[in-house]
């Protein structure tokens, strides 16, 4: 990996691109207005949303490859590294970028809601791929924010800009919901692989080595970010990934209890619980009975 350019402020990135800074905490860039864009790896100290007007071609998405010909929206959170490390320069680059610093959001409703926009923690191969109509909606949002930046900064600027960014992000939530739905077959395939992964986990010695399977471990094995994986499972099943793991664990415990060959403590350790009472507490919460009560009722 080559040199990483650290961008602590919106102005740092504006200077790298050679554009004027109209507001210290937010900027909108239309890349088609730039003569060229220099490639480099960048460590962002602020949020960035990139709309790329390019032919994506074959794109890795999970373990499968898809041929996207539409606009791609990529979300970068503070602290993330992104870019191309080849030292080249692109001419005729087309696309948009919205950058905004966390300080812009302090004291705003959006600032309190940013954690809800989990796509900022998705991997780049889980980007949002939009139709022409959806792209135009996002571009209009960029232009609205850009128009506000043309005005002199006053006491209303922060709230107006934050409100416009929130509208843009809410559109992205809607479009991601659509993306989850339109890839229903892909999602069902993932769910099947998730179920198989859990089955393999509990029939191996991993519970004794690693404990209960975590959402992060499952997501990593399925080549997805934990947030994207969790959101997809929620859309597909109505349950969080953690809840799904817990239900699978309890189903496994039920089978072992009905077999009757092992004690509750032995089952708990076999499934990866650190202490037997952790299994008893979860079992009672999910089933409504303790393991021993369930065993008696099932006999």
């Amino acid at each position: 990996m080559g040199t990483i350019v650290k961008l602590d402020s919106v102005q740092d990135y504006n200077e790298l691109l050679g554009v004027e800074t109209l507001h210290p905490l937010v900027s909108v860039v239309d890349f088609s207005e730039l003569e060229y864009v220099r490639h480099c790896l960048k460590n962002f100290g602020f949020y960035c949303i990139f709309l790329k007007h390019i032919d994506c071609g074959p794109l890795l998405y999970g373990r499968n490859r898809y041929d996207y010909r539409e606009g791609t929206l990529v979300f970068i959170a503070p602290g993330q590294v992104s870019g191309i490390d080849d030292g080249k320069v692109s001419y005729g680059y087309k696309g948009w970028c919205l950058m905004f610093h966390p300080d812009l959001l302090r004291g705003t409703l959006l600032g309190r809601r940013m954690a809800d926009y989990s796509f900022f923690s998705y991997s780049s191969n889980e980007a949002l791929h939009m139709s022409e109509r959806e792209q135009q909606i996002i571009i209009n949002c960029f232009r609205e924010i850009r128009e506000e930046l043309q005005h002199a900064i006053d006491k209303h600027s922060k709230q107006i800009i934050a409100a416009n960014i929130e509208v843009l992000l809410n559109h992205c939530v809607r479009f991601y919901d659509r993306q989850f739905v339109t890839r229903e077959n892909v999602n069902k395939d993932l769910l099947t692989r998730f179920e198989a992964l859990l089955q393999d986990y509990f029939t191996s010695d991993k519970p004794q080595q690693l404990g209960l399977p975590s959402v992060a471990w499952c997501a990593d094995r399925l080549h997805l970010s934990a947030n994207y994986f969790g959101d997809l499972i929620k859309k597909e099943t109505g349950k969080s990934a953690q809840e799904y793991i817990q239900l699978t664990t309890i189903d496994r415990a039920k089978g072992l209890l009905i077999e009757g060959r092992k004690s509750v403590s032995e089952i708990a350790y076999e499934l990866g619980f650190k202490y037997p009472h952790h299994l008893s507490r979860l079992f009672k919460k999910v089933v409504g009975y303790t393991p021993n009560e369930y065993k008696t009722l099932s006999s």
Side-chain angles (χ1 to χ4, degrees):
M1 182 178 291
T3 302
I4 298 176
V5 178
K6 191 163 174 45
L7 304 173
D8 293 319
S9 68
V10 167
Q11 183 168 341
D12 288 343
Y13 196 20
N14 282 338
E15 289 177 353
L16 183 66
L17 295 172
V19 300
E20 181 183 3
T21 299
L22 301 176
H23 191 294
L25 299 177
V26 60
S27 182
V28 176
V29 177
D30 179 355
F31 285 107
S32 67
E33 297 175 354
L34 306 184
E35 182 181 352
Y36 61 86
V37 175
R38 190 176 301 281
H39 298 181
C40 64
L41 286 174
K42 300 169 285 291
N43 185 340
F44 293 90
F46 44 87
Y47 294 98
C48 265
I49 302 175
F50 292 97
L51 172 60
K52 299 179 178 180
H53 286 311
I54 57 174
D55 182 348
C56 297
L59 181 77
L60 187 65
Y61 192 93
R63 284 186 174 177
N64 300 308
R65 295 180 74 84
Y66 298 88
D67 194 19
Y68 292 115
R69 303 291 179 183
E70 300 174 345
T72 303
L73 209 58
V74 176
F75 302 86
I76 306 293
Q80 292 182 348
V81 175
S82 181
I84 304 173
D85 184 24
D86 62 9
K88 296 181 180 179
V89 171
S90 287
Y91 292 92
Y93 194 94
K94 292 184 179 180
W96 290 77
C97 171
L98 166 65
M99 58 189 100
F100 57 99
H101 197 279
D103 288 348
L104 176 77
L105 309 181
R106 298 192 191 284
T108 67
L109 177 62
L110 177 57
R112 295 189 289 274
R113 290 195 57 207
M114 278 305 292
D116 296 337
Y117 300 107
S118 53
F119 40 74
F120 277 103
S121 297
Y122 290 177
S123 297
S124 58
N125 64 328
E126 298 154 353
L128 178 59
H129 304 279
M130 300 179 295
S131 66
E132 289 290 341
R133 179 179 175 277
E134 290 170 344
Q135 287 181 63
Q136 196 55 55
I137 290 172
I138 295 300
I139 290 172
N140 288 341
C141 289
F142 285 148
R143 286 175 173 156
E144 286 286 334
I145 298 168
R146 196 182 200 191
E147 176 64 26
E148 177 59 30
L149 293 176
Q150 301 298 319
H151 296 282
I153 299 175
D154 58 28
K155 64 180 182 180
H156 305 288
S157 300
K158 180 177 180 177
Q159 291 297 336
I160 291 173
I161 294 171
N164 280 324
I165 293 174
E166 186 170 7
V167 168
L168 186 155
L169 295 178
N170 288 338
H171 278 301
C172 294
V173 171
R174 169 181 283 176
F175 299 157
Y176 257 118
D177 283 348
R178 183 270 308 154
Q179 182 161 292
F180 282 128
V181 170
T182 55
R183 292 182 184 163
E184 185 176 358
N185 290 336
V186 176
N187 298 347
K188 288 189 182 303
D189 175 63
L190 175 77
L191 185 58
T192 299
R193 290 190 286 121
F194 179 33
E195 292 170 344
L197 181 70
L198 292 177
Q199 179 69 22
D200 290 344
Y201 191 94
F202 285 119
T203 55
S204 70
D205 58 358
K206 286 186 175 65
Q208 292 77 47
Q209 296 175 353
L210 306 175
L212 291 170
S214 67
V215 173
W217 185 89
C218 294
D220 181 67
R221 292 304 181 277
L222 295 169
H223 304 287
L224 296 169
S225 66
N227 274 4
Y228 186 86
F229 172 67
D231 288 348
L232 190 150
I233 295 299
K234 182 75 172 179
K235 299 291 183 187
E236 193 65 27
T237 68
K239 298 178 177 60
S240 70
Q242 183 62 40
E243 289 172 331
Y244 200 91
I245 291 171
Q246 290 176 347
L247 289 174
T248 301
T249 304
I250 293 304
D251 281 344
R252 184 83 179 169
K254 285 179 179 179
L256 293 170
L257 286 167
I258 291 172
E259 287 178 5
R261 294 197 299 265
K262 297 177 181 178
S263 68
V264 173
S265 293
E266 288 174 323
I267 292 172
Y269 291 127
E270 179 177 327
L271 293 176
F273 287 91
K274 191 172 183 180
Y275 302 106
H277 70 269
H278 288 173
L279 168 61
S280 298
R281 184 168 34 190
L282 179 62
F283 199 97
K284 177 72 182 257
K285 176 184 175 183
V286 174
V287 182
Y289 301 101
T290 66
N292 283 324
E293 288 170 342
Y294 180 82
K295 188 174 183 179
T296 300
L297 289 170
S298 302
S299 61

